[in-house]
Amino acid sequence: MWFRTYTHEVAQGRDPAAQRATCIAIGAFDGVHRGHKALIADMMARARAQGLQAAVFTFDPLPKVFFGAAEPILSLQDRLDGLHDLGVEQVHVASFDRAYAARPAEAFLDDLASIRVAEVHVGDDFRFGKGRAGTPELIRSRFRVVEKSAVLCDQGERISSTRIRALFKIGDLETARMLLGKTRAAMPAAHALGAA
Ligand SMILES: Cc1cc2nc3c(=O)[nH]c(=O)nc-3n(C[C@H](O)[C@H](O)[C@H](O)COP(=O)(O)O)c2cc1C
Ligand SMILES: Nc1ncnc2c1ncn2[C@@H]1O[C@H](COP(=O)(O)OP(=O)(O)OP(=O)(O)O)[C@@H](O)[C@H]1O
């Protein structure tokens, strides 16, 4: 099995036969920022309207952290708590390592089929699979896809974890918190001691 599943706070063994048809949002979701919250709110509304389970598929460690390109904003536990605070019923977490990163995009689509995914929600920049070859178009070959266009801040810039990490680094906590939106982690752990 390439991923584990959290239902509320408990990591549970899954019975695939008992798995309900699912509406799922996919991504790293570091910080669970305002862009993530909007994507997940749309996903949850669609899940409710269709009587589907509302779930998230994410990665630990974060792919960018695994590749040495970023420091995490939140621990996995804070990410899980943030997602559950939004009402997400189930979170699937893939252990992101060298072997996982080498899996082709099609194998990831097989994973989604194994958890009875009916509808996928991603941002329009979402990429996945070996060499980041998979696109929302490829997902559409097998699942219904809702592509979210970028959520922007009041100044018109795309909200991103990368931007928030940079704001913490320069000590602009006020703007960082504004882009995060209401969040349980007032001061994300990795930056709690301020910029080095
Ligand atoms: C099966 C699989 C393989 C991946 N392989 C790579 C990879 O080779 N290189 C890479 O930079 N990212 C890889 N990723 C990570 C994605 O590029 C991306 O970070 C992940 O899908 C989360 O999306 P997000 O960063 O938009 O949140 C892979 C993801 C999956 C699901
Ligand atoms: N501002 C945004 N508006 C709409 N969708 C978004 C936004 N930011 C991220 N998403 C989507 O949310 C999911 C998780 O995104 P991801 O974790 O890569 O966020 P990110 O802020 O782009 O991160 P990073 O800056 O580290 O690349 C993906 O499907 C992504 O396309």
Side-chain angles (χ1 to χ4, degrees):
M1 183 58 81
W2 288 90
F3 53 91
R4 58 192 189 278
T5 298
Y6 293 84
T7 304
H8 299 295
E9 67 280 359
V10 186
Q12 297 184 338
R14 293 185 312 112
D15 172 6
Q19 176 75 5
R20 287 167 55 207
T22 294
C23 198
I24 203 157
I26 309 172
F29 298 109
D30 191 19
V32 198
H33 60 59
R34 280 173 46 206
H36 298 150
K37 287 185 174 80
L39 177 83
I40 288 168
D42 287 358
M43 178 278 287
M44 304 253 310
R46 291 276 304 170
R48 259 194 310 277
Q50 300 173 91
L52 300 173
Q53 173 162 255
V56 162
F57 200 110
T58 192
F59 309 93
D60 179 59
L62 303 165
K64 281 193 175 169
V65 170
F66 176 78
F67 288 117
E71 292 285 319
I73 300 169
L74 295 181
S75 67
L76 174 63
Q77 190 58 57
D78 283 342
R79 252 190 305 150
L80 291 173
D81 290 345
L83 294 169
H84 286 139
D85 284 350
L86 299 177
V88 173
E89 297 166 70
Q90 199 175 52
V91 183
H92 305 278
V93 183
S95 299
F96 197 89
D97 58 14
R98 196 155 298 285
Y100 190 89
R103 296 181 74 217
E106 285 290 354
F108 181 68
L109 298 185
D110 292 341
D111 292 345
L112 298 184
S114 78
I115 50 171
R116 297 196 60 204
V117 164
E119 184 170 290
V120 173
H121 288 247
V122 287
D124 49 18
D125 64 342
F126 178 71
R127 297 292 179 273
F128 64 101
K130 185 179 178 187
R132 295 171 51 84
T135 61
E137 259 336 285
L138 181 67
I139 307 176
R140 191 163 280 128
S141 66
R142 294 189 49 189
F143 304 95
R144 198 158 59 240
V145 176
V146 177
E147 260 178 80
K148 176 97 180 146
S149 49
V151 175
L152 311 177
C153 69
D154 294 344
Q155 283 68 41
E157 277 184 71
R158 182 179 180 278
I159 297 172
S160 73
S161 306
T162 302
R163 232 178 117 193
I164 292 165
R165 289 184 195 109
L167 288 164
F168 276 115
K169 231 182 175 74
I170 62 168
D172 187 349
L173 305 188
E174 192 182 332
T175 311
R177 288 204 186 104
M178 191 263 290
L179 298 181
L180 283 167
K182 188 167 173 292
T183 184
R184 155 198 293 258
M187 176 72 77
H191 302 274
L193 300 177

